[in-house]
Amino acid sequence: SYITAYLKLYFPAQFLASALNWTSDVEKYAGLIREAKSFGIDVLVPDVNESLAGFTVNGHNNIRFGLASVKSVAGNAEGIIAERSKNGRYSSLYDFVSRSGCRKDAMLNLINAGALDAFGNNRLEMADMAETIKEYAAKIEAAKQQADVMRKMLPYVDGIFTDEEIISKQEELGLAVVLKKPVMSSKLSEKIAKKEENMVSLENDIVNLKVEERKEELLERLNREKALLGAYISGHPLDGYSLPSYAVPVSDLQDGDKKVIAGIITSVNISYKEGRPSAAFLDVEDKTGTIRVCVFSRAYADYSSLIREGSVIAVSGKVQKDTFNDNDRLQFIADKLVAIEISRRRICIIYINREEYERTFYGLQKNYMKVNGAEGYARFMDTGISEKIPFGIDERVLGTGSRRIIEI
């Protein structure tokens, strides 16, 4: 309709965010994300300090994933948002763990979906830390509650002389039963002081918490992200590959086409004949979509060594409808497969707020650090946007920002 066309033309971010909130079909969902990118609109991973429950448009006119869009998090989303609205933004991983009340599975899914990226740049290490921090936070909360009960009982304890009286008084005041034996106020003050010391000690342990360094493979990171969000958001497994210029996007294929496609194998099913592998059925995905690729006996005999999940390949062949399953879904009958190797390059990613980045790089232009010829990108933690640093950083990187060097 006219109104729909008008909204899409003049308010594309808002229009597409609304469409994403109403879409449950996975293919349409991924298509809307690709359409947003075609408008120059970044679709950002969820963020515990910015996201609402559903998709929203942020102040930079980009679409931010909602917390409820993350698998197994919907039941925790409103609580996370309500706590943030009441007591302010989450300042650290510990602050989030201790305040949000998230279940363990929801916490890990939020980390792997990128919703806590502002607190660290290695999701595997954050997942390891979160479990330990949750244990510490539970101990701190227990000590805090016990100390609170003791403080509220201070005016009464000197006049209580039996076990029954002290338990009864706590129940009368609506408190948890912490004290089960009579105690003098002077001794109770000492107990409170020890509880407070214990809390400080536990908080210091969290600040100094170290976990084993873990290498985070880009493909594994993106696959976890896709499993939780339904699409690759912070990157794509094909980033860094030089695909053939003549390869046709999967979304452009038509029945009867004889073309070349290129993409990553996301699933493999092997067919056996007389106990021996004879054919393969692959899901091959590029940045526009996914298609089933059928590698029958002759092609399978020649190219079976290239067929494994995670491989990036170019495939020549013909498009036809899936008549075997009696539907109109297109499939690709392979004639030839060719492996595509990644064009590896070093990239240095700096995690920093935009204001600090602009002040340092364009103002002071100091705090240099050698990074062995890596390309430089700034990842702005306040907006979730990445931007290539305008000059080479073969000799300098911001020293005050958290940095990570990766090869892709």
Side-chain angles (χ1 to χ4, degrees), residues 297-325:
S297 54
R298 183 174 297 179
Y300 183 81
D302 292 336
Y303 305 111
S304 60
S305 62
L306 303 181
I307 298 173
R308 61 184 183 277
E309 196 169 316
S311 293
V312 176
I313 57 171
V315 188
S316 64
K318 183 178 180 180
V319 183
Q320 67 178 40
K321 290 182 179 179
D322 184 3
T323 54
F324 181 80
N325 291 310

Side-chain angles (χ1 to χ4, degrees), residues 39 43 68 80-81 108 114 177-178 184 218 249 253 322 344 346 357 360 376 378:
F39 276 93
V43 179
I80 293 169
I81 296 163
L108 294 178
V177 177
V178 171
M184 298 298 292
L218 182 62
L253 294 175
D322 184 3
R344 301 192 73 85
R346 287 171 62 82
Y357 167 81
T360 305

Side-chain angles (χ1 to χ4, degrees), residues 13 36 76 92-93 100 208 212 253 396:
N76 294 93
S92 64
L93 180 59
S100 67
N208 298 314
E212 181 182 351
L253 294 175
R396 56 191 181 182

Side-chain angles (χ1 to χ4, degrees), residues 37 64 79 110 113 128 162 178 192 219 235 240 296 327 388 396:
K37 292 179 179 179
R64 175 73 73 179
L110 284 168
D128 290 343
T162 68
V178 171
I192 294 169
L219 181 57
F296 292 120
N327 61 43
K388 187 169 184 178
R396 56 191 181 182

